[in-house]
Amino acid sequence: QVQLVESGGGLVQPGGSLRLSCAASGSILSINVMGWYRQAPGKERELVARITSGGRADYADSMKGRFTISRDNAKNTVYLQMNSLKPEDTAVYYCNAPGVTYYRRRVPLDLATLDFWGQGTQVTVSS
């Protein structure tokens, strides 16, 4: 199986910065897209940013210019650098990897492709 583990959340003042990390582990063959979503209380989960293995990134409009997504393919890790944080950025941030191909068994070869989510990390922006 595959696990996504986030880290880096916490409490920060408005205008501050945080860097989130998400490491994927397990018998992974390939991960094409890795991304971040967030969910604030009483709201639906929304896309923050995502990045392909080739480095192409997409951002939600409200995060453009403030957030930067990056990844280390060798480490199966994705990062989210968040600058100029606002109170409305307060949410649980979830790491997502849709379409992860992994080994269910190596001999005989048995591959599977599934979507995986991390457990979430709380980001609170408050003075």
Side-chain angles (χ1 to χ4, degrees):
Q1 269 286 359
V2 175
Q3 283 189 320
L4 304 182
V5 179
E6 301 108 332
S7 60
L11 174 64
V12 64
Q13 292 186 341
S17 299
L18 278 176
R19 188 188 192 218
L20 305 182
S21 300
C22 170
S25 63
S27 300
I28 297 168
L29 176 61
S30 65
I31 307 177
N32 182 23
V33 178
M34 297 187 80
W36 292 94
Y37 286 72
R38 71 183 186 184
Q39 188 166 18
K43 295 188 176 181
E44 293 187 354
R45 191 172 296 189
E46 63 174 348
L47 173 68
V48 175
R50 57 192 172 198
I51 185 168
T52 69
S53 57
R56 189 184 73 197
D58 295 310
Y59 297 89
D61 287 342
S62 61
M63 287 69 159
K64 288 180 181 178
R66 298 190 301 124
F67 293 5
T68 302
I69 190 170
S70 60
R71 67 187 280 178
D72 184 332
N73 291 329
K75 296 181 179 179
N76 287 326
T77 299
V78 64
Y79 306 96
L80 185 68
Q81 178 67 43
M82 304 185 293
N83 299 327
S84 302
L85 283 162
K86 307 174 183 179
E88 50 264 42
D89 294 317
T90 295
V92 178
Y93 285 70
Y94 295 92
C95 179
N96 171 244
V100 177
T101 300
Y102 66 99
Y103 296 90
R104 286 198 296 197
R105 189 169 51 243
R106 292 181 182 266
V107 180
L109 183 62
D110 182 10
L111 299 175
T113 300
L114 288 176
D115 296 350
F116 291 92
W117 290 88
Q119 80 285 356
T121 185
Q122 177 69 47
V123 172
T124 302
V125 185
S126 175
S127 55

